[in-house]
Amino acid sequence: MTTRVPESPAPATPEPSRPPRPRRARRLVSAFLAVVVLLCAAVGGIGWYFAGMAAQVDHSAEYPLTVTDAAPGTVTLPRDPDTERPGTWALVWKGGRAMLGPIVGGDGEHVVRQVTSVPQGRLAKGAKVAIDHWLYDGDPKTALGLDFQAVTYPSQVGPMPAWLVPGASPKSTWVIAVHGRNADKAETFRSMKAVHATGLPLLSIAYRNDVGAPKSADHKNHLGDTEWNDLASAIVYARSQGATGVVLYGWSMGGAMALTVLRKDPSFVRGVVLDSPVMDWSATLDKQGDARHLPRFITAVAKRVLSHRIGIDLRDFDQRRYAPRLRTPTLMFTTADDATVANRPAFAFAKAAPPGMVTHIAAQGDHTEAWNTDPAGYERALTAFLSRVGRP
């Protein structure tokens, strides 16, 4: 008997092993993720910085120009859009101030302007200076020869300083003047004589975070979103002193504050004057971002960061939305070369308001410089408006 030995089974063919992912692919993925993280960090960082600039309280002075030459009655300055602009200006330096007259000479690189007076300090070659469109400094008496009272009005954050330039009678319409972002009461000097000549009292107010004023809890600029409460408090003060109505007069961010107060309660407001007003913070921040060559998506991030940091709803500061409901006479000045505030929302506001509600004067100059480029024309328009709305 033959024994048959079974055949050994054929060895199993091993399954082919999966090849490992190439290291190069892993490196590419890691590099891509790193770039994404860095890009997000960069965008977020730029947005945070830009938002921080918008909310920053800054009262420091800058002197970007150097006097090329100073002679009796003239000064020679580097030629740029500020130094060559026609109009009425001051030249300021640390500890000094000169009043400038018209251009009397110059060349492609320099401009020679007349110096009409040097009320403070000594103007010398090599001095670091700046063009000042506020023109005056000090207080209403020292700057303009106007009698005034230094008063305080109660506010949410404490006693707030103000200048009261009396009118013919306290029992009348008061003009409440509100300066712009990071400015101070001196910004309101240019209109004081014209207002005073109408016989109306003028109250030029400080608000939170101004020099010499109480600070907000976070020491940040809220673009008018909280500051408008101080203007509302000033109206209460004026009323307590005999005012029968008020005209709100705002420069730049002060204009945004005035319109916010008007929307909250227009009952005591007889008129509004706006000088280079912020009519839409979102559009103005876009303009500022464009000036810094930021892509719009980074500016959009900055606006979201800003809204989070200071709690502002930027949509609430698009005043165009409220123009059709305007029932208070408004005088508005804008300037053709405004490099700070977006002008188109102001044009749209004037167009959307009911007929006859907005008197819009388009002037030359940069931000809040409508008075400087044509003081006589500005004051004529202001006087006519106040004479109309300030009557009992």
Side-chain angles (χ1 to χ4, degrees):
M1 180 173 174
T2 303
T3 305
R4 199 175 164 139
V5 179
E7 295 180 4
S8 300
T13 303
E15 293 185 9
S17 60
R18 180 176 297 171
R21 177 176 290 184
R23 292 183 179 179
R24 181 172 176 271
R26 287 201 299 268
R27 288 197 298 268
L28 285 173
V29 170
S30 298
F32 175 76
L33 292 175
V35 168
V36 169
V37 170
L38 288 173
L39 181 60
C40 290
V43 169
I46 295 170
W48 183 269
Y49 175 76
F50 185 43
M53 287 179 61
Q56 183 181 25
V57 174
D58 182 9
H59 299 295
S60 61
E62 295 182 355
Y63 305 104
L65 303 170
T66 301
V67 173
T68 305
D69 194 18
T74 64
V75 62
T76 304
L77 300 165
R79 183 179 289 276
D80 70 12
D82 289 332
T83 60
E84 68 182 5
R85 197 186 304 279
T88 304
W89 317 93
L91 190 70
V92 295
W93 59 96
K94 191 172 183 179
R97 176 174 298 267
M99 299 299 175
L100 297 180
I103 296 172
V104 294
D107 54 30
E109 296 184 355
H110 300 92
V111 60
V112 180
R113 296 197 75 127
Q114 186 181 66
V115 176
T116 60
S117 66
V118 184
Q120 182 182 2
R122 177 177 171 270
L123 182 58
K125 179 179 178 179
K128 296 292 185 181
V129 296
I131 299 292
D132 181 14
H133 58 237
W134 295 359
L135 207 66
Y136 306 106
D137 194 19
D139 59 46
K141 185 66 174 178
T142 59
L144 302 169
L146 295 177
D147 292 331
F148 78 104
Q149 301 167 25
V151 300
T152 58
Y153 67 92
S155 77
Q156 291 177 339
V157 295
M160 201 67 69
W163 293 327
L164 174 58
V165 180
S169 169
K171 296 184 182 300
S172 61
T173 299
W174 286 31
V175 176
I176 301 183
V178 197
H179 65 75
R181 173 181 173 272
N182 285 337
D184 61 48
K185 300 191 299 296
E187 186 168 33
T188 70
F189 276 140
R190 288 166 290 178
S191 65
M192 276 189 183
K193 281 191 171 181
V195 173
H196 184 66
T198 67
L200 302 180
L202 182 143
L203 185 69
S204 178
I205 68 169
Y207 51 82
R208 61 192 68 190
N209 297 314
D210 280 359
V211 174
K215 298 185 183 302
S216 61
D218 61 2
H219 295 195
K220 284 185 170 53
N221 189 309
H222 285 239
L223 306 185
D225 191 43
T226 56
E227 293 87 350
W228 72 265
N229 290 285
D230 299 337
L231 175 54
S233 296
I235 295 175
V236 173
Y237 171 81
R239 197 166 192 166
S240 73
Q241 301 301 304
T244 57
V246 296
V247 173
L248 304 180
Y249 192 158
W251 286 256
S252 193
M253 188 180 90
M257 293 164 59
L259 289 175
T260 300
V261 169
L262 182 68
R263 283 166 30 210
K264 303 289 184 182
D265 182 6
S267 61
F268 202 61
V269 182
R270 305 288 179 260
V272 176
V273 182
L274 304 172
D275 191 318
S276 297
V278 178
M279 287 296 199
D280 179 10
W281 266 121
S282 184
T284 290
L285 291 168
D286 285 342
K287 183 182 183 76
Q288 290 296 318
D290 292 347
R292 291 164 174 80
H293 308 292
L294 296 179
R296 279 292 177 95
F297 75 90
I298 291 182
T299 304
V301 170
K303 289 190 286 190
R304 287 196 293 271
V305 171
L306 178 66
S307 298
H308 174 73
R309 289 183 73 174
I310 64 175
I312 188 174
D313 182 356
L314 293 176
R315 294 170 300 178
D316 192 47
F317 282 84
D318 182 353
Q319 307 293 350
R320 291 169 293 188
R321 301 163 60 191
Y322 309 100
R325 303 201 297 269
L326 182 69
R327 297 295 182 269
T328 304
T330 299
L331 173 64
M332 181 173 68
F333 298 92
T334 60
T335 51
D337 300 323
D338 197 321
T340 301
V341 166
N343 266 339
R344 287 185 179 179
F347 302 155
F349 179 89
K351 186 175 181 180
M357 276 294 110
V358 177
T359 301
H360 177 204
I361 297 178
Q364 298 302 308
D366 200 342
H367 189 56
T368 73
E369 291 181 354
W371 182 92
N372 301 81
T373 56
D374 184 8
Y378 187 106
E379 292 180 4
R380 279 195 303 270
L382 177 61
T383 299
F385 180 79
L386 293 179
S387 298
R388 175 164 60 93
V389 302
R391 290 196 299 263

